[in-house]
Amino acid sequence: MQILLARSAGFCFGVKRATRMAFEAAESHDGICSLGPIIHSPQLVEKLEEKGVVVVNAVEDIPEGAVIIRSHGVTSGELREIGNRNLEVVDATCPFVKSAQDHAALLSREGYVVVLVGEGDHPEVQGILSYADNTEVFVVGAPDEAEAIPRRKRLGLIAQTTQSFENLRQVADICLKKCQELRIFNTICDATSVRQEEARDIAGKADLVLVIGGFNSANTTRLAQICREIQPRTYHIETAEQLEPEWLKGVGTVGITAGASTPRWLIDEVIRRVETASN
């Protein structure tokens, strides 16, 4: 059995940075927490908990001391609350997410109605939206949702960092018909685009595709969707234990990719399980 592993499978720059900062903070503090899970990998969050990093879901739940800001960022209001409490902050917000927040604030200041392409309930999206609090905002997950945007004179378009470029482009085409002026910032992370292109390539060559990553990870879920459109025999799994050996019966080539929040050790465990099942 041949295994095709995506070159960029696993941690992206932002996740590597956040993870390193979190483990270093755990080593240098007797007690520390993160506001929300540092990344969308339950297995890595568990390892951080073993090091003493406690996950809390609200600013009022943060004990006195230090707090880690997750890679997805937090809302501007939460940052103000943290500042008011004079807590020590380890800011692990991904720079690409920070850039999207800055662009949302810029569009808001300059009077644009903001359209954000993304998942409305995702923490990254909630954080970005909070920086456009002086203007009207619309969150759309797909082009058909953009059709409901009312006509406005000036629209400003940005995207959740893990969105596909094609989704952003299609929404932009619709927004052009809704306004006199459209300003677009492509806030999609380069790592996301690269992983999605690799996923398409592998799905076109494999008899079966395994996409590894947290079920709560937006970019991993999107990789699975992309692969499934090309290769219906695509399975999204978090760990090697979830791989069923019968999936591999009659399979000559297995494609493997992983989300940007997936640790390398989880990928290696899946590869070993595939190799064991094929022997």
Side-chain angles (χ1 to χ4, degrees):
M1 183 183 295
Q2 182 184 12
I3 296 175
L4 299 178
L5 176 64
R7 173 181 289 184
S8 300
F11 281 1
C12 64
F13 160 75
V15 168
K16 284 180 182 176
R17 173 179 174 272
T19 301
R20 173 180 53 77
M21 292 175 71
F23 277 104
E24 288 177 354
E27 290 294 329
S28 59
H29 294 78
D30 291 332
I32 192 168
C33 65
S34 68
L35 185 53
I38 188 74
I39 63 172
H40 279 161
S41 170
Q43 294 74 30
L44 186 129
V45 170
E46 184 177 335
K47 285 189 176 294
L48 281 170
E49 287 176 343
E50 293 170 359
K51 294 287 187 179
V53 179
V54 178
V55 177
V56 299
N57 295 313
V59 175
E60 56 264 30
D61 296 329
I62 301 172
E64 294 303 317
V67 59
I68 305 170
I69 305 299
R70 62 190 168 198
S71 60
H72 295 107
V74 295
T75 67
S76 57
E78 287 171 324
L79 276 182
R80 281 194 297 272
E81 289 181 57
I82 290 170
N84 291 338
R85 289 189 54 189
N86 294 316
L87 297 166
E88 179 186 347
V89 176
V90 178
D91 191 352
T93 306
C94 171
F96 287 97
V97 174
K98 187 82 76 176
S99 175
Q101 294 172 347
D102 291 343
H103 282 112
L106 172 65
L107 290 169
S108 179
R109 286 196 305 272
E110 297 192 354
Y112 289 85
V113 172
V114 175
V115 178
L116 173 55
V117 182
E119 302 165 27
D121 59 352
H122 193 281
E124 177 190 323
V125 171
Q126 292 299 313
I128 294 170
L129 285 177
S130 71
Y131 288 84
D133 59 354
N134 293 323
T135 189
E136 190 176 19
V137 296
F138 296 95
V139 180
V140 297
D144 60 331
E145 296 176 20
E147 295 287 359
I149 297 173
R151 185 167 182 81
R152 294 291 185 265
K153 185 175 181 180
R154 305 167 81 210
L155 292 179
L157 183 63
I158 55 177
Q160 182 180 359
T161 59
T162 54
Q163 282 290 306
S164 71
F165 179 79
E166 182 61 20
N167 201 31
L168 175 62
R169 187 192 65 76
Q170 290 179 9
V171 171
D173 288 343
I174 294 169
C175 286
L176 276 170
K177 304 171 186 176
K178 301 276 187 178
C179 62
Q180 295 177 19
E181 178 186 345
L182 176 64
R183 189 172 185 184
I184 304 173
F185 288 109
N186 180 5
T187 52
I188 297 172
C189 173
D190 291 342
T192 297
S193 301
V194 168
R195 280 164 175 74
Q196 291 174 354
E197 284 305 311
E198 290 179 353
R200 290 186 183 94
D201 180 58
I202 285 177
K205 298 175 180 177
D207 302 315
L208 177 144
V209 179
L210 299 173
V211 182
I212 312 164
F215 295 134
N216 60 343
S217 166
N219 75 87
T220 306
T221 300
R222 195 160 292 109
L223 287 178
Q225 292 170 344
I226 289 169
C227 291
R228 200 170 286 117
E229 289 171 0
I230 300 169
Q231 174 50 266
R233 295 180 70 183
T234 293
Y235 298 92
H236 178 179
I237 60 175
E238 280 193 356
T239 64
E241 288 72 23
Q242 294 166 353
L243 193 163
E244 300 290 344
E246 55 264 29
W247 295 348
L248 303 175
K249 290 180 180 178
V251 172
T253 303
V254 176
I256 297 178
T257 187
S261 297
T262 307
R264 180 69 201 199
W265 85 78
L266 289 176
I267 299 171
D268 290 340
E269 287 176 357
V270 170
I271 291 173
R272 286 194 292 270
R273 186 168 174 88
V274 170
E275 291 172 341
T276 300
S278 64
N279 291 333

